[in-house]
Amino acid sequence: MKFEYSGKALLAVTMSAAVLAGCVSCAAIVPQPRAQQPATVRGPTGSVTVPIGQPVRSAQPAPRGTIDPGFRRAPTGLNDRLYALWRAFPGKTGIAVQRIDGEWTLSQRGDELFPQQSVSKLWVTLAVLDAVDQGRLRMDQPVRIGTEDLTLFHQPISARVRSEGSVTMSIRDLIETAITHSDNTANDSLLRTVGGPGAVRAFVSKKDLGSIRFGPGERLLQSGTAGLTWQQSYSIGRNFQAARATLSPATRRTAMDNYLANPVDGASPSAIAGALTRLARGTLLSPESTDYLLGVMSRTKSGPKRLKAGLPPGWQFLHKTGTGQDLNGMTAGYNDIGIATAPDGTRYAIVVMLGSTTSSIPSRMALMQAVSGAVAEFHGK
């Protein structure tokens, strides 16, 4: 059941007053990895192993059955609060909140497509883990990454690749790097290994995840959004930014407008909330893969002041962020999606997506904190 607020009255909301202070631990529901990982080592062939954090499991079990009135209905006042936050924020904004162990979803612009950017790394990892569950891939399977595989923007492993010519990483380590550090080259290496964009789209379709698109991969997505045709030399240093700067303002604006009007990596907040709910319920992957992925998401390093920072002490959060390119102060895609767990074990999927906004980064983070803070405030009411 989805509740939509159709009121037209403007409700002024001071965003700074909505910010709840304090980051909470992200060690929520971190499962036992399939194999104990050693400290970082580099083999004679240039292989690299990324250390994975120690698993910590929440002491609170997930709620079972109808344990409170909020199981079947959203807390009174939460929809009004979300609407007020959504209505007051400048730019195209989408919000969805779904009770994972319940029967309700709230959303604002929940069915419209928003640019995902690095949120889409989640679908790559899901497709890879599904292939592992089917025996087509192995978690310890080695993947070679050469200079020809480098992408652009955030790719921490590129320094090692350029220094050594190539590195070899396991699928397990690539997932950890792609999700927790949002490394674009690690993600594109997983994408290549699982069979390309078509394989990810096939997974989304097979699992009936709804309005979730998957784009052509990081290099083609970002170059197309900027108005460029991809060249591998763009992966070096700031060559991409330099080439983008030579384009006329009209070319850049046209490319950006086309992307925002019909994002090739677009997804709806409600569909993402539904996918997170199904992941948490264990209906997308095997139990082992489900626990593994939730554990990796709990170690995400990006976006500590987005949704996570709005939750009070005692709440746990695991998530994936996404941030797009800027053009004249406007960002195409500023997102955070995740699973929040209350101290009593109740879980909520929370999605906030800013399709385009010129609001300051602190204001964007304040909105996200206000949304997650509202979920916590109204929990149990």
Side-chain angles (χ1 to χ4, degrees):
M1 181 183 300
K2 180 174 69 176
F3 295 83
E4 295 290 347
Y5 194 98
S6 60
K8 298 183 180 296
L10 297 179
L11 180 57
V13 176
T14 303
M15 297 304 304
S16 58
V19 179
L20 299 179
C23 291
V24 299
S25 168
C26 62
I29 322 176
V30 182
Q32 180 69 33
R34 297 186 185 179
Q36 187 66 30
Q37 296 297 303
T40 301
V41 296
R42 184 170 296 158
T45 63
S47 62
V48 175
T49 299
V50 177
I52 297 178
Q54 291 298 314
V56 180
R57 187 175 293 276
S58 170
Q60 294 287 347
R64 297 181 182 277
T66 305
I67 63 172
D68 62 67
F71 180 84
R72 288 196 169 91
R73 60 155 182 83
T76 302
L78 178 57
N79 191 60
D80 290 343
R81 176 71 63 81
L82 296 179
Y83 172 79
L85 294 169
W86 171 83
R87 186 67 181 86
F89 194 80
K92 181 181 177 181
T93 306
I95 298 173
V97 176
Q98 182 168 349
R99 175 155 170 169
I100 290 172
D101 308 292
E103 299 177 348
W104 57 264
T105 302
L106 301 175
S107 67
Q108 296 295 337
R109 238 172 179 160
D111 294 328
E112 296 185 29
L113 294 178
F114 288 77
Q116 294 185 79
Q117 296 295 321
S118 286
V119 165
S120 65
K121 289 181 171 70
L122 179 60
W123 319 125
V124 176
T125 294
L126 281 166
V128 169
L129 290 175
D130 183 60
V132 171
D133 288 341
Q134 296 178 36
R136 293 188 288 109
L137 296 175
R138 304 188 320 274
M139 292 296 282
D140 62 353
Q141 183 169 320
V143 178
R144 179 190 176 277
I145 305 169
T147 56
E148 70 278 8
D149 301 313
L150 295 179
T151 58
L152 73 169
F153 297 152
H154 192 66
Q155 47 177 342
I157 65 176
S158 65
R160 298 201 304 270
V161 173
R162 294 198 182 284
S163 173
E164 302 180 23
S166 68
V167 299
T168 300
M169 298 175 67
S170 69
I171 284 178
R172 180 190 300 277
D173 291 342
L174 285 172
I175 290 174
E176 184 83 15
T177 305
I179 297 296
T180 66
H181 294 280
S182 207
D183 188 302
N184 290 333
T185 290
N187 186 69
D188 270 13
S189 297
L190 288 169
L191 178 60
R192 182 176 69 253
T193 301
V194 79
V200 178
R201 294 169 191 147
F203 171 83
V204 170
S205 176
K206 178 180 73 171
K207 297 296 182 177
D208 194 23
L209 297 185
S211 298
I212 295 175
R213 293 176 174 177
F214 187 79
E218 199 68 31
R219 292 179 282 194
L220 296 182
L221 172 66
Q222 300 302 342
S223 57
T225 302
L228 292 167
T229 299
W230 174 256
Q231 299 178 27
Q232 190 57 34
S233 61
Y234 292 161
S235 69
I236 301 173
R238 294 186 61 81
N239 284 357
F240 179 85
Q241 290 85 341
R244 187 177 61 184
T246 66
L247 297 174
S248 69
T251 297
R252 287 214 60 197
R253 171 54 64 185
T254 298
M256 182 68 79
D257 287 347
N258 289 340
Y259 171 62
L260 291 174
N262 189 24
V264 293
D265 66 335
S268 73
S270 293
I272 293 178
L276 290 172
T277 294
R278 290 176 60 188
L279 171 63
R281 289 176 177 175
T283 62
L284 289 184
L285 301 170
S286 69
E288 189 175 15
S289 290
T290 297
D291 282 350
Y292 170 74
L293 179 53
L294 293 176
V296 173
M297 292 174 67
S298 76
R299 296 188 285 275
T300 293
K301 306 298 183 185
S302 59
K305 295 183 179 180
R306 299 188 190 187
L307 288 172
K308 179 180 176 182
L311 295 169
W315 284 68
Q316 299 170 329
F317 193 60
L318 52 91
H319 65 131
K320 185 70 195 77
T321 59
T323 305
Q325 296 183 52
D326 290 332
L327 178 61
N328 300 326
M330 185 274 295
T331 302
Y334 191 88
N335 312 317
D336 199 8
I337 70 165
I339 297 169
T341 305
D344 65 4
T346 304
R347 299 176 295 177
Y348 300 91
I350 306 177
V351 176
V352 178
M353 307 182 78
L354 309 183
S356 60
T357 182
T358 57
S359 180
S360 69
I361 290 178
S363 295
R364 301 173 199 177
M365 294 189 295
L367 169 68
M368 292 182 172
Q369 292 169 23
V371 170
S372 57
V375 173
E377 178 185 343
F378 285 91
H379 169 63
K381 296 183 179 180

